[in-house]
């Protein structure tokens, strides 16, 4: 299903031109317009799913296979030293476009880019309490 108000639906369908680096029946992979690094790409399903919660399991499995293809090609062509594969869900997590997408961000030694989080320092009891909540 497509969402008429969704820019990534239009890009994925080819209705809005994009810098496409890979395409198959399920996904289009485009370059990000505000890249964190040279080659920063976004994997977009062609159907509209707002986030990982909505993404069907079959596509969730396939998207990582596509990511693997892309990072292989990037390592070969761009000579990147590493890459981040990440995916934001919900405004609280930094999602700004509400059509599922996976970021593939090539990284270069000393590229100065910051992608991360502030490490916490819970006590053993606090960690244990979280574990008990989750299992
Ligand atoms: P999010 O913050 O939702 O995880 O990531 C959205 C990403 O989409 C951002 O990195 C942003 O630069 C990118 N983006 C937003 N609009 C467009 C667009 O129209 N074209 C392309 N190629 N990238 C976009
Ligand atoms: Zn969409």
């Amino acid at each position: 299903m497509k969402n008429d108000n969704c820019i990534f639906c239009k890009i994925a369908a080819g209705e809005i031109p994009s810098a496409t680096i890979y395409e198959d029946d399920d996904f289009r992979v485009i370059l990000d317009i505000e890249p964190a690094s040279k080659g920063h790409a976004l994997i977009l399903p062609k159907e509209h799913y707002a986030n990982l919660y909505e993404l069907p399991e079959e596509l969730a499995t396939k998207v990582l296979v596509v990511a693997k293809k892309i990072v292989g090609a990037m390592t070969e062509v761009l000579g990147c030293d590493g890459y981040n594969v990440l995916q934001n869900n919900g405004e609280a997590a930094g999602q700004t476009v509400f059509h599922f997408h996976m970021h593939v961000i090539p990284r270069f030694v000393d590229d100065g880019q910051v992608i991360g989080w502030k490490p916490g320092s819970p006590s053993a009891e606090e960690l244990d309490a979280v574990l008990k909540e989750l299992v």
Side-chain angles (χ1 to χ4, degrees):
M1 221 171 68
K2 307 277 185 290
N3 178 327
D4 286 346
N5 301 315
C6 173
I7 186 159
F8 279 6
C9 277
K10 294 188 172 74
I11 290 175
E15 290 164 18
I16 293 179
S18 63
T20 296
I21 60 171
Y22 172 86
E23 186 178 0
D24 62 24
D25 288 347
D26 300 310
F27 299 98
R28 182 187 291 271
V29 182
I30 64 170
L31 293 178
D32 196 295
I33 41 165
E34 292 184 333
S37 69
K38 181 180 175 183
H40 180 168
L42 302 171
I43 305 174
L44 315 179
K46 291 187 171 177
E47 297 296 320
H48 182 86
Y49 305 103
N51 49 41
L52 186 60
Y53 306 114
E54 290 188 5
L55 193 72
E57 281 189 10
E58 191 200 341
L59 285 182
T61 306
K62 285 182 176 174
V63 73
L64 206 54
V65 176
V66 174
K68 197 166 156 55
K69 279 191 216 296
I70 300 300
V71 298
M74 277 180 181
T75 305
E76 208 177 302
V77 176
L78 300 179
C80 55
D81 304 303
Y83 44 83
N84 297 104
V85 175
L86 63 91
Q87 202 273 306
N88 300 321
N89 297 279
E91 216 170 326
Q95 186 176 10
T96 58
V97 180
F98 295 90
H99 174 126
F100 175 95
H101 51 280
M102 184 170 271
H103 295 260
V104 177
I105 305 175
R107 300 300 304 276
F108 301 85
V109 172
D110 297 329
D111 63 16
Q113 189 51 261
V114 181
I115 294 166
W117 57 87
K118 197 170 68 146
S121 49
S123 65
E125 291 74 24
E126 285 167 330
L127 279 176
D128 197 47
V130 176
L131 177 65
K132 288 201 171 83
E133 267 189 75
L134 291 174
V135 293

